[in-house]
Amino acid sequence: MGELAAGIAHEMNQPLSAISNYAQASKRLLQSASQENELKVVAALDKICNQAIRASEVINRLRTFVKKRVTQRELVDLNELIRETVNLAKVDTRILNHEIILELCHHNKPQLIADPVQIQQVLLNLIRNGIDAMEHIKGAPLHIHSQWLSDVMIEVSVIDYGHGIDVETGSSIFNPFFTTKETGMGMGLAVSQTIIHAHGGRIYFGPGRPSGCIFSFSLPAISDSQKDIEK
Ligand SMILES: Nc1ncnc2c1ncn2[C@@H]1O[C@H](COP(=O)(O)OP(=O)(O)OP(=O)(O)O)[C@@H](O)[C@H]1O
Ligand SMILES: [Mg+2]
């Protein structure tokens, strides 16, 4: 949550300090009143308005993410949650251009103590990012894989065959409002990271083979004793 707050503070700070600078300049211009200065004050006031709109847009964009909802942790069947989320993701019809391949831990069913809505939000973000990255690669599949990392930790991976992430982009993707997409908000991964950390897990990514990305998160989980893989 600290990183998210720092990113938001940074984003808000820019328009607010611009507003303060333009207001101070206007005050100085008014003190030495002339017709020329009057025009400059009008231009500065326009800039103040624009920057204030920018600041309120940041707040509005945030509102859509930080909906007030009491977090409710409950026992959640992870495989079921993944299947439900894939169905939900189909609302975005672009997903129909791709085969979604599930490779889930089957017999040793992982159970989470988690807020299912939040975990679903993380998965949806990762699925949408994978589909975005493969937008121009019709037919490329998206894999969703789960595996036990230890007796008490499960890992879920979303594997795409898209354009991948270069080193420079990779260093910023978890920052709030960082996006390379025309219509992106850049909040998907920042919010996902906050959710996963709050559940005691980690979220990370690496290169796919031969192309694309693997985004994974780990979470504490309760298990039976037997393990198998469902293909
Ligand atoms: N699977 C992926 N393949 C390639 N790049 C990715 C992938 N996932 C994330 N990225 C990069 O990370 C950036 C940040 O992702 P994030 O989900 O936080 O925001 P976004 O998708 O741009 O917007 P939104 O807020 O709508 O999710 C993306 O703009 C993209 O550049
Ligand atoms: Mg996203």
Side-chain angles (χ1 to χ4, degrees):
M1 201 60 193
E3 298 137 50
L4 192 59
I8 292 160
H10 174 76
E11 195 74 10
M12 290 298 291
N13 209 26
Q14 287 178 349
L16 290 178
S17 58
I19 287 171
S20 158
N21 289 340
Y22 286 126
Q24 272 164 20
S26 302
K27 212 169 101 188
R28 277 200 302 276
L29 289 166
L30 283 176
Q31 277 160 355
S32 51
S34 74
Q35 206 170 3
E36 196 194 333
N37 281 356
E38 207 174 283
L39 290 175
K40 284 186 186 162
V41 171
V42 171
L45 287 175
D46 275 342
K47 290 194 170 140
I48 287 174
C49 287
N50 287 338
Q51 293 297 327
I53 289 168
R54 191 175 145 197
S56 76
E57 273 171 1
V58 172
I59 299 287
N60 281 338
R61 273 148 64 192
L62 270 174
R63 270 214 195 105
T64 61
F65 274 98
V66 193
K67 287 184 200 120
K68 272 214 174 125
R69 208 180 64 81
V70 183
T71 18
Q72 279 171 337
R73 300 244 171 135
E74 54 190 73
L75 196 65
V76 181
D77 180 323
L78 179 66
N79 290 353
E80 215 169 279
L81 189 80
I82 294 173
R83 286 194 197 95
E84 270 173 27
T85 312
V86 169
N87 281 336
L88 251 176
K90 286 179 182 159
V91 173
D92 178 353
T93 50
R94 294 174 315 150
I95 207 175
L96 304 176
N97 294 328
H98 304 276
E99 190 188 355
I100 311 293
I101 300 169
L102 300 185
E103 298 166 332
L104 308 178
C105 284
H106 191 43
H107 289 309
N108 194 13
K109 274 190 186 168
Q111 311 282 314
L112 311 174
I113 307 285
D115 182 327
V117 177
Q118 289 192 335
I119 304 302
Q120 203 156 48
Q121 195 183 344
V122 173
L123 255 174
L124 266 180
N125 281 328
L126 298 184
I127 293 172
R128 285 200 190 117
N129 282 348
I131 298 294
D132 285 344
M134 300 196 293
E135 199 162 10
H136 303 295
I137 317 170
K138 214 176 162 185
L142 186 84
H143 286 255
I144 303 177
H145 177 85
S146 66
Q147 66 173 3
W148 288 98
L149 295 178
S150 70
D151 288 349
V152 292
M153 259 313 175
I154 192 84
E155 179 188 62
V156 179
S157 299
V158 177
I159 303 159
D160 70 65
Y161 299 89
H163 52 69
I165 298 183
D166 61 46
V167 177
E168 205 195 325
T169 307
S171 62
S172 308
I173 56 169
F174 288 104
N175 294 344
F177 302 109
F178 175 85
T179 184
T180 57
K181 299 171 193 172
E182 248 169 57
T183 55
M185 260 189 277
M187 286 301 286
L189 287 176
V191 168
S192 298
Q193 188 177 54
T194 305
I195 291 172
I196 294 299
H197 285 179
H199 280 82
R202 289 180 52 232
I203 182 165
Y204 38 94
F205 70 100
R209 285 207 192 110
S211 61
C213 288
I214 304 176
F215 273 87
S216 307
F217 60 84
S218 62
L219 284 174
I222 302 163
S223 65
D224 305 332
S225 52
Q226 293 240 301
K227 304 174 196 168
D228 201 359
I229 301 284
E230 177 194 316
K231 290 266 170 179

